Amino acid sequence: MRRTTLAMALALMALAACKEEVAVLPDPVELTPEAAGYYCQMTLLEHEGPKGQIHLDGLPAPLFFSQVRDAVAYLMMPEQSHDVVAVYVQDMARAKSWAAPGLDTWVPAADAVYVVDSRKLGGMGAPEFVPFSDEGAARAFIAEHGGELRQFADFTAADVLAPTGPADAEDGADDDVADRLNALTDPKGD
C-alpha cells in the first residue's frame, strides 16, 4: 500500500510536469543555517550526509529532512496532510564531501539512483539512502563503502519503517525495553 502511495506521488509529479496549465514545480530551496529537520528539529548543517526536502501543496516552504531515508519515510506515512508537489535530495555526485554535501546540490528524487545498505550512516546515525545523479559515481561509492543500487520508485515502507542498526530486536533490545516497562509498572520494583 505504501509503495502505491509513493508510485502515485511520482505519477502526480510527472503529470504536473507535463501539463502546461499546471503551475511550474517549485525549485529546490538552498540550505541555510536556520533550516531544521522535520523530525528532529535540529539544524541540518550540523549533520553529515545527504538531506532531503519535500514541497507540499499549499505550504510556502519545504519540509527538510536530516537524512534522505527520513524523507522517503515521510512519503510512506498515511498521516500526510497535503499533496506532495516535489521531492529533492542532495546529489552526492556533486557533493564537496560526505561532511559537507553542499547547499545547492539538489536533484529531483525520482531522477537519482540510490546506494542502500552501505557502511556510511546518515546525519542521524542511521542507515542512509545515498542519492547520485550519475550511476558511475554511485558505483564508485559502492566500491569504497559497499551497498547496492536502487531506484527511488522501488523503495517500500519496509525499507524505511523497519528497525535498523544495533537496536534491532535480534540483539536483545526488545528484552531491555520489556524489562524497563515492567519496572515502571511494578510498584515494588521486583
Side-chain angles (χ1 to χ4, degrees), residues 85-188:
V85 176
V87 180
Y88 296 101
V89 293
Q90 286 183 306
D91 178 9
M92 295 307 285
R94 297 185 302 139
K96 296 174 187 176
S97 69
W98 186 261
L103 303 177
D104 62 352
T105 56
W106 301 102
V107 62
D111 295 348
V113 63
Y114 296 79
V115 176
V116 298
D117 298 327
S118 77
R119 291 182 293 279
K120 292 295 267 186
L121 298 178
M124 296 303 292
E128 182 61 292
F129 301 157
V130 187
F132 292 88
S133 62
D134 175 56
E135 189 173 319
R139 292 192 183 282
F141 182 89
I142 289 171
E144 185 174 347
H145 303 287
E148 62 183 57
L149 289 179
R150 179 96 51 96
Q151 297 296 317
F152 185 73
D154 294 333
F155 289 127
T156 66
D159 293 326
V160 293
L161 303 178
T164 63
D168 284 351
E170 294 174 16
D171 68 2
D174 279 348
D175 294 339
D176 183 50
V177 171
D179 291 344
R180 287 187 282 149
L181 288 173
N182 285 334
L184 290 172
T185 58
D186 183 1
K188 298 177 190 174

Side-chain angles (χ1 to χ4, degrees), residues 4-14 75 80 84-85 87 152:
T4 302
T5 302
L6 181 59
M8 286 179 14
L10 290 172
L12 288 174
M13 287 188 304
L75 294 171
Q80 300 173 35
V84 174
V85 176
V87 180
F152 185 73

